[in-house]
């Protein structure tokens, strides 16, 4: 079972999440604002954070940015708006999932389980794989899958955790047509509850990170994507 930090300035929301999480056997700690959340992450160990965006003292985006300086703990962001800007901003900061209010507590529990399974799977994969390095364009694009490092023309490129997962998966399946459904299932690790635009948003961010190699990710209209290399 998981140690969950729930961060929301609405006590009713915290109470609902805590009720369902504890019913599933998880341990829940509450925080009413981003400042308190950062302090708790610095002084305690959690398995996952559920955090609202609009909060006093320190908003969710700023809190996430501070937490990412000290930890790669999985973060699921909550928002009442659901705008693409919020999603892109959150994913660029390295959040793992995004849930729009009002949400189903049962769905949120499933998303928590899915994120934790993915984190465990990625860790196990990294332990199993040894010295997996892919080089394209005579080394112009170099990816060390084992160490989760990407270099373009010798310069290290920083990506969000989900960008790394998506990029390495596409690298290992390069020159193969990948449907949106397969990408979501294999990279996210569950039947996606949102819409496929979340995947498309991550592809957009990944292309931005890849710079002059963005064109290696080819859009297959009506199907999905293919990484050519």
């Amino acid at each position: 079972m998981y140690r969950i930090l729930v961060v929301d300035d609405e006590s009713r929301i915290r109470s609902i999440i805590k009720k369902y999480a504890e019913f599933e056997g998880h341990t829940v700690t509450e925080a009413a604002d981003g400042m308190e959340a950062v302090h708790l992450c610095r002084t305690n160990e959690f398995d996952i954070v559920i955090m609202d965006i609009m909060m006093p003292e320190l908003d969710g985006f700023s809190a996430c940015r501070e937490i990412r300086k000290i930890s790669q703990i999985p973060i699921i962001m909550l928002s009442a708006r659901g705008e693409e800007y919020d999603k892109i901003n959150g994913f660029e900061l390295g959040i793992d999932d995004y849930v729009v209010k009002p949400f189903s507590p049962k769905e949120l529990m499933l998303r928590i389980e899915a994120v934790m399974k993915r984190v465990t799977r990625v860790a196990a994969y990294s332990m199993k794989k040894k010295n997996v390095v892919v080089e394209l364009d005579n080394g112009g694009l170099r990816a060390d899958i084992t160490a989760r490092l990407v270099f373009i023309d010798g310069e290290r490129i920083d990506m969000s955790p989900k960008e790394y997962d998506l990029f390495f998966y596409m690298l290992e399946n390069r020159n193969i047509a990948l449907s949106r459904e397969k990408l979501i299932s294999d990279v996210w690790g569950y039947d996606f509850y949102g819409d496929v635009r979340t995947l498309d948003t991550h592809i957009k961010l990944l292309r931005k990170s890849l710079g002059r190699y963005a064109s290696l990710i080819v859009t297959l209209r009506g199907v999905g994507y293919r990484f050519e290399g």
Side-chain angles (χ1 to χ4, degrees):
M1 296 297 98
Y2 311 126
R3 296 162 295 180
I4 303 174
L5 174 61
V6 177
V7 190
D8 198 302
D9 60 324
E10 295 185 53
S11 60
R12 181 180 61 86
I13 298 295
R14 299 199 308 271
S15 178
I16 291 173
I17 297 175
K18 182 176 182 179
K19 175 182 177 181
Y20 277 81
E22 290 185 338
F23 180 77
E24 296 287 337
H26 307 306
T27 301
V28 176
T29 300
E30 299 181 44
D33 58 63
M35 198 77 77
E36 185 180 1
V38 174
H39 173 72
L40 286 170
C41 285
R42 286 173 175 165
T43 57
N44 298 269
E45 290 189 4
F46 300 103
D47 296 308
I48 190 168
V49 177
I50 313 300
M51 181 152 53
D52 188 31
I53 292 178
M54 302 300 292
M55 294 185 294
E57 299 294 336
L58 196 67
D59 65 79
F61 290 140
S62 300
C64 179
R65 189 176 293 109
E66 291 302 311
I67 291 171
R68 280 287 171 261
K69 292 178 181 179
I70 58 174
S71 172
Q72 290 302 313
I73 182 175
I75 297 175
I76 296 179
M77 197 75 83
L78 304 176
S79 173
R81 297 187 298 187
E83 296 178 1
E84 184 180 24
Y85 169 79
D86 284 345
K87 292 184 178 181
I88 291 175
N89 193 20
F91 290 139
E92 286 183 328
L93 290 173
I95 71 166
D96 293 79
D97 205 349
Y98 192 101
V99 177
V100 179
K101 294 179 178 179
F103 57 86
S104 162
K106 291 183 179 180
E107 177 185 326
L108 180 59
M109 294 304 108
L110 289 173
R111 285 177 180 259
I112 291 172
E113 189 64 35
V115 168
M116 295 308 300
K117 284 183 177 179
R118 180 189 63 79
V119 170
T120 302
R121 187 177 68 250
V122 169
Y125 176 84
S126 298
M127 290 292 292
K128 184 173 65 175
K129 290 287 185 178
K130 301 297 181 183
N131 301 321
V132 180
V133 177
V134 177
E135 293 188 356
L136 301 174
D137 190 25
N138 296 318
L141 175 60
R142 182 175 183 272
D144 187 329
I145 297 177
T146 308
R148 291 174 72 81
L149 296 173
V150 179
F151 299 89
I152 294 180
D153 298 328
E155 181 179 349
R156 179 176 171 178
I157 304 301
D158 289 324
M159 298 181 182
S160 70
K162 185 63 70 178
E163 281 182 82
Y164 281 121
D165 294 342
L166 183 59
F167 179 49
F168 293 150
Y169 180 84
M170 296 185 79
L171 264 184
E172 294 193 310
N173 292 276
R174 55 192 179 278
N175 301 317
I176 297 174
L178 300 168
S179 68
R180 283 179 169 82
E181 291 74 19
K182 183 168 181 59
L183 282 166
I184 289 170
S185 175
D186 290 356
V187 177
W188 271 257
Y190 65 109
D191 294 330
F192 196 52
Y193 294 99
D195 56 60
V196 296
R197 286 180 296 180
T198 295
L199 168 62
D200 296 337
T201 297
H202 278 90
I203 290 290
K204 183 189 301 183
L205 293 173
L206 180 54
R207 282 173 168 157
K208 179 181 177 181
S209 295
L210 291 177
R212 67 187 183 94
Y213 291 103
S215 60
L216 293 178
I217 301 177
V218 177
T219 300
L220 305 177
R221 193 178 300 275
V223 178
Y225 299 94
R226 179 179 64 244
F227 189 93
E228 297 184 342

